[in-house]
Amino acid sequence: MSTKTDELNDLIEVTRDGKRFYEHARDEVKEPQLKALFTDMAQAKTEVIAALQGKVAANADTPATGGTLTGKLREVYADTRAKLSSDEGATYIAQLEEAEDRILHAFEDAMDAHEPDLRADVAPLLPKVRACHDRMRDLKKAQ
């Protein structure tokens, strides 16, 4: 596997963490608006993952199929905080916004890489990643 494939697979894993976290949060919250938002955000992550998987497959390599331990730990932490909180929605929003920070930073780091092919693969996805991040950041600030 090439360094480029490794980097793309890292992005797949961190994005998959976000997707799974949104799906989990959707199943945990009671507010219909948050359920709808979390569904939309999970779908956006699905689209990014599919695009990244296509780039890895185009290199005749195998795309990552899992997430990361950090992503799973963040989910468990959010569950624990939500159970102790009087506002589970706000707890999940705060934790999901942090997950969005992690995803955005991973994509920005990939853009800072010295490998032009990697930047070319990541650049078209960055607006969607940034839009998801900004949506959760704005929602967190509005609370």
Side-chain angles (χ1 to χ4, degrees), residues 10 25 28 41 51 54 60 69-70 83 99 102 114 116 119 125 129:
D10 288 347
E28 295 295 317
M41 297 295 276
L69 178 60
T70 301
K83 284 180 175 70
R102 182 173 175 239
H114 297 294
R119 287 194 304 271
L125 301 172
V129 170

Side-chain angles (χ1 to χ4, degrees), residues 5-134:
T5 297
D6 290 339
E7 291 284 337
L8 291 171
N9 275 332
D10 288 347
L11 293 175
I12 289 170
E13 289 175 345
V14 74
T15 305
R16 185 171 285 117
D17 286 344
K19 175 184 183 269
R20 288 178 178 166
F21 196 178
Y22 277 111
E23 291 169 342
H24 176 77
R26 175 199 62 213
D27 294 342
E28 295 295 317
V29 297
K30 293 166 185 63
E31 282 183 58
Q33 293 113 337
L34 285 181
K35 284 184 178 288
L37 171 65
F38 295 165
T39 298
D40 288 349
M41 297 295 276
Q43 180 58 39
K45 301 292 178 250
T46 298
E47 293 166 7
V48 170
I49 291 166
L52 291 168
Q53 287 173 329
K55 300 295 184 184
V56 172
N59 291 332
D61 285 319
T62 304
T65 58
T68 67
L69 178 60
T70 301
K72 186 61 179 167
L73 291 174
R74 182 176 300 282
E75 192 176 305
V76 170
Y77 176 73
D79 282 347
T80 303
R81 290 204 47 174
K83 284 180 175 70
L84 299 172
S85 173
S86 60
D87 187 355
E88 70 179 359
T91 300
Y92 280 111
I93 289 167
Q95 293 303 307
L96 286 162
E97 192 270 337
E98 288 183 26
E100 287 293 342
D101 284 346
R102 182 173 175 239
I103 294 166
L104 180 60
H105 291 307
F107 274 78
E108 288 173 340
D109 287 349
M111 288 298 296
D112 290 341
H114 297 294
E115 194 170 333
D117 287 350
L118 178 60
R119 287 194 304 271
D121 286 345
V122 172
L125 301 172
L126 195 55
K128 183 179 289 246
V129 170
R130 190 167 278 127
C132 287
H133 172 272
D134 293 352

